[in-house]
Amino acid sequence: MAVKYIPEPFRIKMVETIKMLTREERIKKIKEANYNLFNLRGADVYIDLLTDSGTNAMSDKQWAGIMRGDEAYAGASSYYKLLEAGKDIFHYGYIQPVHQGRAAEKVLFPLVLSEGKFAISNMFFDTTRAHVILSGARPIDCVIEAAKHPFKRCKFKGNMDIEKLEKIILEKGPENIGIVVMTITNNSAGGQPVSMENIKKTSEICKKYNIIFDIDAARYAENAYFIKRDEEGYQDKSIKEIVQEVFSYADMFTMSAKKDTIVNMGGLIGVKDGNSPLILKIKAACISFEGFFTYGGLSGRDLEALAIGLYEGLDEDYLKYRNGQMEYLASRLDDAGIAYQAPIGGHGPFIDAKAMFPQIPYNEFPGQVLAIELYIEAGIRSCDIGSYMLGNDPDTGKQLHADFEFTRLAIPRRVYTQSHFDIMADAIIAVRDRADKIKRGYKITWEPPILRHFQASLEPIEK
């Protein structure tokens, strides 16, 4: 039986009209989009779960802050408000705004990675993986084995495999490891959280071998919520206190602020040591790629909204409601026997498309098949987190075989209501009920050399 839906801890004072196209119209639209969900117009989507990045609803305080934004090119007061908020929350010596998470990676990674180097993560997401490769280095995933089995329920499935991490470091040579990245929550593994104990142990390994430890902090507040709920010794600590302990173990962080900071645009780089020589290099790279370092590619109003959102994302009532939405949808899926990365993670269900379509091989992209079928069924836009997204080996050009074949329904923050969640569940169940009639998947007819899933063209494989 579905768990009780937690009521929204806010009132709605503005609405945006959405429209459901007919099934025939949706079939036509996805064909015109070359079966790539990114090519659909937003107006042709009823429930948009493509990403939870920048698609969130800002608060009245954030919108009021936008009116107060200082648009000075250098040294704007909004920049200093953001600096104060960042230093207060993370206790880091230097905070650098950038326009989004991949900009943080573009600025930072070439400073610490180069050809012949390796970057290790509990699991790289697509853009992070791409920036490692663009720097000349090679990415290595090091998530625990339990994460590779969606049906296995255990806490903190996003953890780094500590033994494997040290083994990789010794095999490749510590001098060849440019950075270790801890992604919280672990997006590619299903939005699964990472424990404080695991973060601390990863930090100890990095210190042992003098390797930079970076936190990919897109969903740091949701991760802190899971630590408070599920890790012994943290129930009586505030989310802010947990966040500060998490970040105390790292040397720096890169953040897409478009998730847990609940803004439509923004990102951050944090460096713990305020006297680090790396800071001058970060400033120089930011000026080249993003703009002057006190605005980092953002308008003053964006800086203002970001400073406010950093605090709003830590609110425990909001985080309880946010996680409650996921629990409600997961319970509907459990009742229907739908397989997903269990237990439910932080920002949406990752449906096990491989389990739903066992007849479709990895190189015909079952995650993409389910995403397309959900759009046809109910106008829901989601995305593949599997072999289609993973792409080709950068050295051999051969299709990589992902550990998972997920379809991710990334839930925007403060946007959708219980009725929308019921539509999501009903659509997934309806597709499952006809899944055995779908015999083949898709083939790629054109793809760019990197981050192909954003632009690739596909077509159905004929029976």
Side-chain angles (χ1 to χ4, degrees):
M1 183 177 293
V3 301
K4 185 178 179 181
Y5 186 90
I6 294 178
E8 287 78 7
F10 52 80
R11 294 179 297 198
I12 298 168
K13 65 164 61 177
M14 187 187 79
V15 297
E16 179 183 359
T17 302
I18 55 178
K19 180 183 177 182
M20 173 81 85
L21 301 181
T22 67
R23 187 182 188 90
E24 291 72 24
E25 287 173 327
R26 296 195 296 272
I27 291 172
K28 180 184 177 185
K29 293 294 184 183
I30 194 63
K31 183 178 181 181
E32 291 173 348
N34 294 313
Y35 298 97
N36 186 332
L37 284 300
F38 284 91
N39 288 337
L40 289 170
R41 292 190 178 194
D44 295 333
V45 174
Y46 183 60
I47 298 177
D48 203 342
L49 311 178
L50 185 67
T51 180
D52 61 322
S53 179
T55 57
N56 309 294
M58 292 200 300
S59 70
D60 55 347
K61 291 183 175 63
Q62 287 177 297
W63 282 109
I66 281 176
M67 298 303 295
R68 295 193 301 267
D70 179 359
E71 303 300 340
Y73 183 91
S77 61
S78 299
Y79 163 73
Y80 290 104
K81 288 180 184 177
L82 175 60
L83 222 59
E84 290 170 10
K87 290 182 177 181
D88 174 49
I89 292 170
F90 303 110
H91 287 180
Y92 272 36
Y94 183 71
I95 302 292
Q96 174 63 62
V98 289
H99 85 272
Q100 62 184 69
R102 70 193 65 175
E105 295 158 1
K106 170 63 178 172
V107 167
L108 178 64
F109 283 7
L111 303 179
V112 298
L113 295 171
S114 58
E115 191 171 345
K117 296 279 189 179
F118 297 89
I120 307 171
S121 177
N122 53 337
M123 188 157 277
F124 286 106
F125 196 57
D126 57 350
T127 51
T128 316
R129 181 182 301 276
H131 280 295
V132 170
I133 294 170
L134 287 169
S135 73
R138 291 293 177 260
I140 301 174
D141 290 331
C142 195
V143 71
I144 59 172
E145 187 63 28
K148 301 175 184 178
H149 305 281
F151 61 90
K152 287 188 177 180
R153 290 178 178 262
C154 64
K155 298 175 182 178
F156 302 109
K157 284 176 79 172
N159 279 356
M160 184 85 75
D161 186 328
I162 298 297
E163 290 184 10
K164 184 178 177 182
L165 171 65
E166 188 160 22
K167 182 180 178 182
I168 292 169
I169 290 171
L170 293 174
E171 284 178 353
K172 302 295 184 183
E175 70 280 4
N176 294 318
I177 309 299
I179 195 167
V180 170
V181 179
M182 180 68 86
T183 309
I184 58 172
T185 54
N186 192 331
N187 189 2
S188 291
Q192 294 294 311
V194 178
S195 71
M196 188 74 80
E197 179 186 21
N198 190 254
I199 293 168
K200 184 178 180 180
K201 286 183 177 179
T202 302
S203 175
E204 290 170 352
I205 293 290
C206 289
K207 284 182 171 60
K208 179 179 178 180
Y209 295 104
N210 195 29
I211 298 169
I212 294 171
F213 182 32
D214 172 62
I215 291 178
D216 180 342
R219 298 175 181 88
Y220 72 99
E222 289 175 9
N223 201 88
Y225 175 85
F226 283 109
I227 290 173
K228 180 179 176 69
R229 192 190 70 179
D230 294 335
E231 191 164 0
E232 186 177 353
Y234 290 92
Q235 283 68 43
D236 295 329
K237 295 198 175 212
S238 70
I239 296 295
K240 185 178 178 182
E241 288 172 330
I242 293 169
V243 166
Q244 288 172 347
E245 183 178 345
V246 165
F247 284 82
S248 73
Y249 297 124
D251 301 302
M252 57 187 61
F253 69 81
T254 46
M255 178 193 291
S256 168
K258 296 163 67 178
K259 283 85 167 176
D260 272 0
T261 309
I262 326 179
V263 291
N264 303 128
M265 188 57 67
L268 296 173
I269 300 171
V271 181
K272 184 193 289 183
D273 180 4
N275 297 313
S276 170
L278 194 62
I279 292 172
L280 288 176
K281 295 179 180 179
I282 289 171
K283 286 182 176 180
C286 185
I287 291 170
S288 297
F289 299 130
E290 292 287 284
F292 193 62
F293 67 84
T294 63
Y295 74 89
L298 295 171
S299 62
R301 52 187 174 270
D302 290 324
L303 296 171
E304 195 87 26
L306 178 46
I308 296 166
L310 279 168
Y311 288 104
E312 289 191 0
L314 301 179
D315 180 78
E316 293 187 29
D317 288 337
Y318 153 74
L319 287 168
K320 183 180 179 182
Y321 147 77
R322 167 77 173 160
N323 188 70
Q325 287 187 314
M326 311 309 148
E327 295 285 354
Y328 175 81
L329 182 53
S331 70
R332 289 281 323 265
L333 300 179
D334 288 337
D335 289 347
I338 303 289
Y340 61 93
Q341 177 67 295
I344 191 73
H347 62 286
F350 286 58
I351 310 300
D352 188 349
K354 183 179 179 180
M356 189 176 291
F357 301 104
Q359 70 276 23
I360 298 177
Y362 76 95
N363 56 355
E364 294 182 16
F365 315 128
Q368 185 71 0
V369 171
L370 178 53
I372 291 168
E373 293 300 320
L374 285 174
Y375 178 71
I376 292 172
E377 181 66 34
I380 296 170
R381 178 159 63 172
S382 56
C383 75
D384 166 282
I385 304 289
S387 297
Y388 172 58
M389 184 191 77
L390 188 59
N392 300 318
D393 186 291
D395 298 314
T396 67
K398 292 184 178 180
Q399 171 66 54
L400 294 168
H401 190 170
D403 290 323
F404 324 100
E405 301 296 342
F406 289 143
T407 301
R408 182 187 75 172
L409 282 67
I411 311 297
R413 294 158 184 80
R414 305 190 293 208
V415 171
Y416 292 116
T417 65
Q418 182 176 359
S419 296
H420 295 112
F421 281 87
D422 285 331
I423 290 171
M424 297 173 205
D426 291 344
I428 296 166
I429 293 167
V431 174
R432 187 278 311 274
D433 289 346
R434 56 180 171 82
D436 61 342
K437 296 180 176 63
I438 301 170
K439 303 299 184 184
R440 300 297 300 272
Y442 290 83
K443 64 180 179 181
I444 295 173
T445 58
W446 175 83
E447 61 181 303
I450 199 164
L451 290 173
R452 70 180 184 193
H453 61 292
F454 287 107
Q455 300 184 73
S457 297
L458 303 96
E459 64 180 28
I461 297 173
E462 298 298 329
K463 294 180 183 178

